[in-house]
Amino acid sequence: MEALYVDALVLGAGPAGSAFALNLAPFQRVVMLEASPPAAMRIGESLPAAAGKLLADMGLYEAFLQQGHQSAHLNISHWGSDMATEQDAMRNLDGHGWYLDRHRFDCWLQDVAQDRGAALLRQSKLLSFAPAKSNPDHWDAVIAVQGKTVRIETKMLIDASGRKSLLTRQLGIARKATDKLVCSWLVGKDTDPSAGSSHISAEAGGWWYSSSLPGQGRIVAFYTDADLPEANACNHQQGLLQRLKRNTQLSACLDEHGFVPGQQHGYCAAHTAALEQFAGPNWLAVGDAALSFDPLSSQGIFNALYTGLAAAEAASHYDADAQAAYVAELASIKAAYLHHLNIWYQQEQRWADQSFWQRRVAT
């Protein structure tokens, strides 16, 4: 089987993999593998205001603004108190964030990566890989592409496969989860065209999140631990809506927006997890494959973009120093994230005797 030679083979074409590819492709040969096209609806629909500077660094900001994602101007929270706390974007020096159309956003990043020279192999997956016989510093990978088998020799392997960490698991790198958080969500519509806000509301069994989506859409999500009764009761739409009615604060906010539930519903993992090793000889992990965040942080997509850019910079001149610098950067991100996550959860003490909060709130 004749081999295709590339500089970087990226397993995954989500925001992290695309960010890596679009930053490295102008200088090196990059191939992305996409097992399936971006989902029409995904959790992870917001981007914080600080992402504007990151997008500008990648030469994407002006084009991003043309995508028509909805501005995020107001967050209302019931956290640590029955009283509502409002955070207005006018007080943020970086301005407002955005509620994303995730399908449009993911497809756009893929298009930019291809425009900058990356190849995207759709309906493809990695079958096997091993050190290349011709050069032990390279990888010999075998992939399946739309039913055909292709051999690729690459200098670098990039794990951008999300929470599954498909590549690094095969390398024997352990992935450690620190909690059991799951999310049950549904999508509907706001009949009030002026609605454009997000809401966080804590309760005894976990916490709720809701935000606007482009086109007067709205997502409502409940977060709890997978082994608690609340998870089993809310893993279907009817159970989720029944529990939502009991949260009078959030229900009142949704009523103000004229929220009407739709038929789209999902249930997914949302726990914090990290690889024990973020990089090694001729491989790197990016985004959720390296470090996945609790959605309370609202940093998931930002982290995907940032680590994609950082990995591209490391891969452009990859050696022991570049590897060590990348590992140190992700270790710093992990430490800061865990510190702030602990602070956020400790702010809520109203249900310190309940299982969900006992696991997170120090007494």
Side-chain angles (χ1 to χ4, degrees), residues 333-350:
I333 292 171
K334 176 184 175 183
Y337 157 71
L338 291 175
H339 173 71
H340 286 102
L341 187 68
N342 184 52
I343 292 174
W344 294 328
Y345 273 114
Q346 287 199 35
Q347 290 176 358
E348 181 53 83
Q349 295 281 341
R350 287 176 291 173

Side-chain angles (χ1 to χ4, degrees), residues 62-222:
E62 295 302 326
F64 168 75
L65 295 180
Q66 298 302 314
Q67 295 296 306
H69 301 288
Q70 185 173 351
S71 300
H73 290 288
L74 178 66
N75 175 262
I76 303 170
S77 64
H78 291 89
W79 193 275
S81 169
D82 289 334
M83 295 183 63
T85 301
E86 295 188 359
Q87 290 181 312
D88 194 302
M90 292 182 65
R91 303 175 185 176
N92 190 335
L93 295 178
D94 291 322
H96 64 76
W98 297 270
Y99 303 125
L100 300 178
D101 179 328
R102 271 298 300 276
H103 182 266
R104 185 192 310 164
F105 182 73
D106 289 4
C107 290
W108 169 66
L109 288 177
Q110 291 180 357
D111 290 342
V112 173
Q114 292 177 89
D115 289 343
R116 294 188 180 183
L120 175 60
L121 302 182
R122 302 183 187 278
Q123 299 178 41
S124 60
K125 64 178 181 178
L126 181 65
L127 298 178
S128 65
F129 62 94
K133 295 180 180 178
S134 60
N135 186 338
D137 291 331
H138 291 188
W139 295 99
D140 194 356
V142 179
I143 65 173
V145 184
Q146 300 181 19
K148 298 180 180 180
T149 303
V150 177
R151 176 173 160 248
I152 296 180
E153 184 173 327
T154 180
K155 294 179 183 178
M156 293 286 297
L157 285 171
I158 309 301
D159 193 345
S161 62
R163 289 176 177 270
K164 296 179 180 179
S165 299
L166 297 175
L167 173 67
T168 41
R169 287 183 188 276
Q170 293 184 59
L171 286 168
I173 308 301
R175 181 178 173 90
K176 183 179 180 180
T178 58
D179 59 72
K180 301 177 181 180
L181 194 69
V182 291
C183 172
S184 179
W185 57 269
L186 62 85
V187 173
K189 286 282 188 179
D190 286 335
T191 55
D192 178 3
S194 65
S197 59
S198 60
H199 305 258
I200 294 176
S201 179
E203 58 133 278
W207 56 276
W208 291 86
Y209 171 76
S210 176
S211 77
S212 301
L213 295 173
Q216 289 184 234
R218 177 167 291 276
I219 188 166
V220 178
F222 176 62

